[in-house]
Amino acid sequence: MKTTRLVIVAVGGQGNLLASSILAEAALIDRVPIRMSEIHGMAQRGGVVESALIFGPGHSTIIADGEADLLVGFEPAETLRALGKCHRESTVITNLAPLMPFTVNIGQGVYPDLKRLQEIIRAKTARLIAFNATALARDAGNVLAVNMVLLGCLVETGLLPIQAASVHTAMEKKIKPDLLEVNRRAFQAGAAAARENAA
Amino acid sequence: MHKLLIDRPGEKMLLLGNEAIARGAIEAGVAFASTYPGTPSSEISLQFFQISRECDLHFEYCTNEKVAVEVAAAAAACGVRSMAVMKHVGLNVAADAVMTLAYVGVKGGMVILTADDPAMFSSQNEQDNRYYAKLSGLPMLEPSSVEEAHRMLPYAFELSEELAEPVLLRTTTRINHSSGVITLGEIRPRATRGRFVRDPLNLVTVPAVSRRLHVKLLENFARAQALSEGSPWNFIEGEGPWAVLCSGVSYNYVKDALDELGIADRVRILRLGFSHPLPARRIQEFLRGSEKALVVEEGEPYLEEAAKTHAQEAGLTLPIRGKAPDLFSRLYELDPSTVRRVTARYFGVPDRSRPAVDVSDLPAIPQRPPTLCAGCSHRATFYEVRQAAEELGLETVYPTDIGCYTLGLLPPLSMADYLICMGSSTGTAGGFSQVSGRKVVSFIGDSTFFHAGIPGLINAVFNNHNFTLVILDNGTTAMTGHQPHPGVDMKQLKLENYGRVSIESVVRGIGVSHVTVIKPYRVKKSIEQIKEALSFPGVSVVISQELCVLYAKSLKLPRGKPFRVGEKCKNHRVCMTRLACPAFYIWNERIHIDANLCTGCSLCAQICPEHAIVPARETAEK
């Protein structure tokens, strides 16, 4: 088994850590070696939350620049900021709905142009899947399910060494029963987005 | 049942490092645990707190780390297994107790956990606490992984009992906040009651006793070193002419680097998990016969200096290097690619790993620093203090302290001028007021006030300083995840058998003659009250009371109704330029309020010059 390295970046409150723990739990079900690390000291204060998941053999729990085979960004500017984690053959999945940093609101900095952002990522990596995951989450019934949309897309690419069925089992374990249905719909919407991209 | 109490040995569980550490301690039969919360250690004590509500484990949130060590030391003196948990700088606070506790020793096993934070993800410095082991003479253990941390805890307690002294267990953020799969072990029964045997000639550290106890400490050191020489936590792997010495998470990066560079068959690794006292003979034997050695460690050259010393004693002259401009930095943390690159360079082998994508030509990306939450009462207090100082025409200095409110540093609030450590706001305020000739207004949170702010305030009253201390009392230890502190009403958490200490009573008891309690969401009144406090010659204290919005949410308290920007808005953007609440956003060149984020604190509505910000429902109905 080869080692697959995944970096997920998000803004605090977007549910990155839940998505990561579902993937790790799925790996445990599939008996795939899994190591995970997260930086979340200020998650609830609007900062950036980054998690690293390493599937397969090895020892490290963090992913250095150039090591990520997969980068998933829950927010487009954060995807771009984390691009240095990628190498030439990486696959990038990004939400296209911005969350404006307050620094932009008070006139410190300009939010990057989304079209240009996609061109850059496409030029530097092997594959980009970019779509409005926030809109799909809203359509699925809860805008907060954006994490499950992106999770669905990620799992559908087949680039992780885990079974979709195991991810569903992990979701049942980690998500409150009354929220499960909407999260499943969001997951399926993300999976469909991945299929559209591949077509 | 709490998941860490599940008694099914052999079962595998995916745990956060801090959960694995707590589980390891539970398996070791820890019966008494104490802490002052601090990232990256906080989740360890959160587990103990939750577990203590389900069983006979005694757990305390303490006023500070020194007290945490003292209560745990007394429990251990009675033969009860105890553990004190803290972040690395917490050990500075506890150091006075720890240095002499090393002389006195313990009966029951005692583990002092220090969670270091290389790269300072959430700390004011990145000091390397391995030196506390050297300074105190106490043994230190350092795991390399979550799984090993879990296994190491029971051994730490056994080692402590074998040597009859506390054991320091050092982690780093990448252990605490990594997750891994552990195999549950058996839970040893807890012995929660101990017996104190009076023995003043060994337990009361007057000089005559301590002179003898220091001899005992050195004897213990020799015993500990013998244990370290044969310890399975110090192990050698691989074969070959080259040598690598490492400890902690660096071991993982070394293992991955050697595999990826294809030189695993040319390098021997000495992994040092029992890192104080270091196994001198083992290190010498390891180095003997090697052509050259690389020391891979985060922070200071602790292992490197020891390896060089021990090599010299054995007459070995091979090159031993680690920290150097062309090799590893003492700054920040290591990562797999840095270790791979340096290892390749040092041993002269090619590094064919894929390069990172070039990011030198990316467009500028706006920063996204953490910020005070929407509706955070600190924002209101900061605004009001600034407004009051401006109205009085005061030139100010704003010393601050450690907590969420340190984020007041950022524009547009810009309300932080000086910070060194927990409690420094009260001490430094005295010095600034004495020499700067400016009005000093210091900020400190409620939990930090209890932790280390009180002595500075007493000092100010005694030495007749002239400043205003603003105590930001949000009813919880917010920054680290809403842990209780002595001022918290524990009944709100449905917990009995706790006392409660009133900050106002403490402040008045200290002898502060001008004390004001404000409700920061009443803007006009608060500004008037703050102006009075700022005008008072001498020490004045303003206690700003408002529950943390996140904590209120977790208590399921009713939340305020959201506001919206109404038609009267003339786009002055005073709300944005003075407050920058994260609930604001700009759309079509106009300011809007995100109703999902707005907590209805009404701060912006009260400062809007057009009174254009109105309750959302009210205008919707019109």
Side-chain angles (χ1 to χ4, degrees), chain B residues 305-378:
Chain B
E305 287 173 355
K308 285 173 174 169
T309 304
H310 298 317
Q312 197 276 342
E313 286 166 347
L316 300 170
T317 55
L318 76 165
I320 301 170
R321 299 191 66 209
K323 303 291 174 182
D326 60 326
L327 299 173
F328 293 114
S329 171
R330 294 155 92 129
L331 296 170
Y332 317 136
E333 63 169 359
L334 294 178
D335 64 56
S337 108
T338 303
V339 171
R340 189 176 60 234
R341 197 178 62 243
V342 172
T343 305
R345 183 184 305 146
Y346 186 69
F347 292 118
V349 296
D351 176 7
R352 296 203 179 83
S353 50
R354 282 177 295 210
V357 300
D358 175 21
V359 291
S360 61
D361 59 346
L362 293 193
I365 305 165
Q367 290 303 305
R368 195 188 297 274
T371 183
L372 295 173
C373 302
C376 174
S377 61
H378 299 333

Side-chain angles (χ1 to χ4, degrees), chain B residues 107-175:
Chain B
K107 285 212 175 74
M110 175 173 178
V111 175
I112 300 171
L113 186 134
T114 162
D116 289 16
D117 190 19
M120 297 166 278
F121 293 101
S122 42
S123 303
Q124 64 269 40
N125 76 23
E126 56 176 346
Q127 67 184 47
D128 186 334
N129 274 10
R130 291 179 296 177
Y131 287 92
Y132 268 114
K134 272 187 109 159
L135 187 61
S136 64
L138 292 175
M140 174 170 275
L141 299 174
E142 286 184 82
S144 290
S145 67
V146 169
E147 181 271 333
E148 191 180 30
H150 166 247
R151 282 191 291 120
M152 213 174 235
L153 255 299
Y155 175 69
F157 282 96
E158 284 164 26
L159 178 64
S160 170
E161 280 169 10
E162 183 166 356
L163 295 170
E165 61 188 9
V167 167
L168 295 164
L169 197 134
R170 175 184 181 253
T171 61
T172 55
T173 303
R174 298 307 193 164
I175 297 283

Side-chain angles (χ1 to χ4, degrees), chain A residues 1 12 98 105 196:
Chain A
M1 174 188 270
N105 287 339
E196 273 168 40

